[in-house]
Amino acid sequence: MSAVFTVVPSFSPENNSIFYTSSLGNRFYAYIGLETHLQIKSARKIFSSAPVGAEPLIANHCVDFVDMAFPGMLPVLNRSSVEQGIRMGLAIKGTVNAYCVFDRKHYFYPDNPSGYQISQQRYPLVERGEVSIVVDCPCLTPRYEKTVRIHRLHLEQDAGKSLHDSSGESLIDFNRAGVGLMEIVSQCDLSSPEEAAAYVEHIQRIARYTKTSDGDMEKGQMRFDVNISVSPESGVLGTRVEIKNMNSVRFLKAALYYEISRQIQQLEQKTPLVQETRGFDEKAGVTFSMRSKEEAQDYRYFPDPDLPTVCIEKDWVQKIYSSLPELFDARRKRFMQNFQLSEYDSFVLTEISEVADFFEETLNAVPKETLENNKSNLSKVASNWISGPLFSKITHKERIKEEVRFSPSQFAEFILCVTEKIVSTPIAKEIFQEMLDHGLSVKEIMQKKNIDLKGKTQEQLMEVLKEIHAENPHQVQAYLSGKEKLLMFFLGQTMKKLNGRGNPEQLQNLWKDYLQSLGKKEDL
Ligand code: MN
């Protein structure tokens, strides 16, 4: 096919929707939905007692007979995996059904030893939720909020992984076979690649806040299938195309941009679109057809006779509900209110709950009265130092407490030092670097680096001395030839330059040393 003209999203206030303009100037609308698979955070697999291996494994040692589908083996549902599903379901404001059923979904693939996947088809664990996302799209400013409806959340098991090496041999890693997954299916409420990206990142945050999944995309703990249709008419879905198995937000956006553009171009050329499944070629940046509707798989779903219907008691759901932590949305809004932070700063600070904890503990360590009198300034300064220098120093934000060598209360001392202008900005940067490198307190660093409280280092003070020397060469000469009383003159000049904020004793010693060193040079 010919080169694709890339479209960009625009906003129409007329029908409050995002549209795309084709190369011929016609308007099109995109409808995007996602199926997100999240690996359930759990010690054991969902239907076997085998442990869930964390790191790439060299042998199949996290494998039970059930995972290998040995004859006569029976799956046993892991209660904590169901609990995790309920927790996530409640966090996305879904309804937990009174009962759910596990079905067999049949397909044949070497990494699927039983020939079927245990999943949920007709009676899922959770239905009808919604999430509120914040979208940052360069073509559409400012950032805006949007509600995305969730169709359902169901539980299922993961397959193994085929590994193909360069010699043409294939190996199968069964450690992942039988690991519990939550699949979250959204409605087609998303209208742009940026919205899809914001949605995926939001789901990841909720999973991390609730500790139901680590959602590490690089480790394949979070993968998504995306469906997309394009239509010339607002509110009407077009022909649905699915792109399978993505695990990167960057590629998700690239694949969607390509696909929206391709579909629009094809509609304009009056070539009908086919309902199909496509893959994304990461290197070429294009999608390609994998199979059309005619070749679509028939999974022959039926209830798994080895697993009974799961009844979910109300009390259990209630208990899980009351144990939910304050979630991202609530926390972001509370930060805006309580700490008088902007929406953007609150967003950045609350994205990861451990970072939000660190920020909050810092401000709580500031004496109450001081905090109340200067709240917006203190929180803004703390926020800037965290999102700037601190973030650039740490590798894993969720491990902020382990990676940062100073405590929130030591950080609070530093913030006070900055807001009360005890030190200048360059000195503050120097102190902060020391705190990051060695974890000392502000006071310890000031002592160590010989920074006086007026915020000059020894080196900077020396610069001032040299300046005065250059301005008063005759007085220096006179001093060196014996007029020692001139020391007071130099001291006066220095205090003047420092606006009276120097430490006279320190300065006097500094001058003595400096002049003595000049004298020695002259002797030579
Ligand atoms: Mn699935």
Side-chain angles (χ1 to χ4, degrees):
M1 122 168 233
S2 57
V4 170
F5 169 82
T6 304
V7 291
V8 290
S10 318
F11 180 72
S12 152
E14 194 186 310
N15 50 7
N16 187 30
S17 55
I18 286 172
F19 67 90
Y20 302 82
T21 310
S22 71
S23 55
L24 300 178
N26 298 315
R27 276 190 186 188
F28 288 89
Y29 301 87
Y31 298 92
I32 303 165
L34 279 122
E35 293 171 13
T36 310
H37 288 92
L38 284 158
Q39 183 179 313
I40 296 172
K41 200 175 169 87
S42 165
R44 315 236 158 240
K45 293 184 179 180
I46 185 166
F47 299 114
S48 87
S49 58
V52 174
E55 284 307 306
L57 298 151
I58 37 162
N60 285 317
H61 62 241
C62 291
V63 181
D64 183 276
F65 292 116
V66 180
D67 308 320
M68 293 295 294
F70 273 49
M73 293 296 120
L74 289 174
V76 177
L77 180 60
N78 173 343
R79 188 179 163 95
S80 76
S81 297
V82 181
E83 184 167 329
Q84 291 286 54
I86 295 173
R87 183 168 290 119
M88 185 66 185
L90 292 171
I92 55 173
K93 301 195 180 108
T95 305
V96 180
N97 288 326
Y99 65 90
C100 63
V101 175
F102 285 98
D103 299 288
R104 291 183 179 180
K105 179 184 181 180
H106 296 82
Y107 67 92
F108 295 94
Y109 205 73
D111 60 21
N112 178 27
S114 60
Y116 60 83
Q117 176 193 30
I118 304 176
S119 180
Q120 296 187 311
Q121 157 82 334
R122 287 182 67 185
Y123 302 101
L125 178 64
V126 175
E127 287 175 278
R128 293 177 303 276
E130 65 170 48
V131 295
S132 166
I133 59 171
V134 179
V135 189
D136 205 347
C137 177
C139 311
L140 307 164
T141 46
R143 291 147 61 91
Y144 60 96
E145 245 181 86
K146 177 168 184 169
T147 302
V148 182
R149 292 167 302 154
I150 304 291
H151 173 47
R152 56 187 268 161
L153 177 153
H154 67 254
L155 302 177
E156 59 186 31
Q157 54 177 190
D158 208 344
K161 220 183 334 185
S162 300
L163 307 162
H164 311 287
D165 70 17
S166 52
S167 69
E169 300 269 338
S170 286
L171 297 162
I172 303 177
D173 175 357
F174 283 110
N175 294 296
R176 205 181 70 178
V179 167
L181 299 175
M182 312 182 262
E183 178 173 335
I184 300 170
V185 183
S186 83
Q187 301 282 12
C188 304
D189 289 347
L190 301 156
S191 328
S192 71
E194 282 75 17
E195 287 186 6
Y199 169 80
V200 164
E201 285 166 350
H202 190 82
I203 292 289
Q204 185 185 48
R205 275 193 292 272
I206 298 178
R208 289 178 175 171
Y209 257 79
T210 51
K211 304 206 173 357
T212 51
S213 173
D214 289 334
D216 189 332
M217 296 187 204
E218 275 175 33
K219 291 183 185 157
Q221 294 169 350
M222 186 172 183
R223 314 190 288 269
F224 23 88
D225 303 332
V226 53
N227 60 75
I228 168 158
S229 74
V230 156
S231 155
E233 225 178 306
S234 172
V236 178
L237 301 189
T239 305
R240 179 188 154 117
V241 167
E242 194 174 16
I243 308 166
K244 281 272 185 202
N245 227 348
M246 316 206 67
N247 66 344
S248 137
V249 174
R250 186 160 68 92
F251 290 141
L252 170 73
K253 278 204 269 190
L256 282 173
Y257 266 115
Y258 179 84
E259 197 52 27
I260 295 169
S261 304
R262 182 189 72 87
Q263 291 186 23
I264 289 175
Q265 183 167 323
Q266 204 161 321
L267 288 173
E268 292 238 279
Q269 290 166 348
K270 308 275 179 244
T271 324
L273 287 160
V274 285
Q275 190 176 330
E276 62 181 348
T277 301
R278 297 176 75 90
F280 181 63
D281 181 335
E282 295 173 359
K283 279 202 187 102
V286 300
T287 63
F288 57 89
S289 182
M290 287 165 76
R291 56 176 185 263
S292 67
K293 196 189 175 190
E294 289 76 51
E295 311 152 42
Q297 271 174 301
D298 174 8
Y299 293 117
R300 296 178 296 120
Y301 277 105
F302 67 81
D304 192 316
D306 290 340
L307 286 157
T309 296
V310 185
C311 295
I312 318 272
E313 311 105 52
K314 259 205 218 147
D315 290 355
W316 191 28
V317 178
Q318 191 58 51
K319 214 173 132 193
I320 297 168
Y321 183 75
S322 50
S323 75
L324 280 180
E326 181 186 29
L327 296 176
F328 170 64
D329 282 318
R331 199 162 200 192
R332 174 166 55 94
K333 285 180 182 149
R334 183 168 63 80
F335 270 34
M336 287 167 72
Q337 255 184 5
N338 275 16
F339 300 116
Q340 295 155 22
L341 285 165
S342 69
E343 191 274 333
Y344 181 80
D345 288 338
S346 308
F347 188 100
V348 171
L349 290 173
T350 54
E351 261 198 297
I352 291 162
S353 60
E354 288 82 358
V355 172
D357 291 343
F358 190 85
F359 172 83
E360 212 164 354
E361 283 168 35
T362 300
L363 288 198
N364 286 341
V366 173
K368 232 182 177 158
E369 210 173 313
T370 318
L371 180 65
E372 287 311 318
N373 291 335
N374 196 13
K375 201 185 246 174
S376 66
N377 190 30
L378 280 160
S379 37
K380 179 70 189 161
V381 170
S383 162
N384 288 351
W385 283 92
I386 291 177
S387 61
L390 191 65
F391 276 0
S392 67
K393 180 82 184 177
I394 56 180
T395 353
H396 300 285
K397 290 178 190 165
E398 55 282 359
R399 293 177 47 82
I400 183 165
K401 282 234 176 105
E402 291 82 24
E403 286 198 25
V404 168
R405 287 159 177 248
F406 50 84
S407 66
S409 61
Q410 285 176 315
F411 185 48
E413 270 172 44
F414 172 75
I415 295 304
L416 283 169
C417 220
V418 174
T419 50
E420 284 167 14
K421 301 211 163 45
I422 291 171
V423 293
S424 61
T425 312
I427 300 290
K429 280 187 182 154
E430 215 173 296
I431 293 175
F432 196 66
Q433 194 56 47
E434 281 286 311
M435 288 174 74
L436 285 170
D437 293 342
H438 306 291
L440 301 171
S441 73
V442 176
K443 276 192 199 112
E444 286 167 321
I445 294 164
M446 284 180 149
Q447 260 167 17
K448 182 180 151 197
K449 301 206 81 170
N450 216 349
I451 297 169
D452 73 352
L453 279 172
K454 302 301 165 281
K456 290 256 191 276
T457 61
Q458 191 107 359
E459 275 150 333
Q460 284 171 318
L461 288 175
M462 279 311 287
E463 289 306 313
V464 176
L465 263 58
K466 282 179 190 158
E467 228 177 280
I468 294 168
H469 178 180
E471 288 163 5
N472 306 283
H474 301 302
Q475 279 84 345
V476 173
Q477 266 314 318
Y479 176 91
L480 291 178
S481 35
K483 273 199 165 184
E484 291 200 0
K485 276 186 180 168
L486 276 166
L487 186 65
M488 294 321 280
F489 165 78
F490 297 132
L491 194 58
Q493 291 295 308
T494 319
M495 288 303 272
K496 218 162 147 188
K497 277 210 192 282
L498 297 174
N499 296 321
R501 303 179 86 188
N503 175 343
E505 204 180 62
Q506 183 196 4
L507 290 173
Q508 204 166 333
N509 290 332
L510 213 58
W511 268 114
K512 273 186 192 159
D513 291 347
Y514 177 65
L515 293 165
Q516 202 181 349
S517 73
L518 290 178
K520 273 188 193 146
K521 264 186 214 154
E522 285 215 334
D523 290 343
L524 295 170

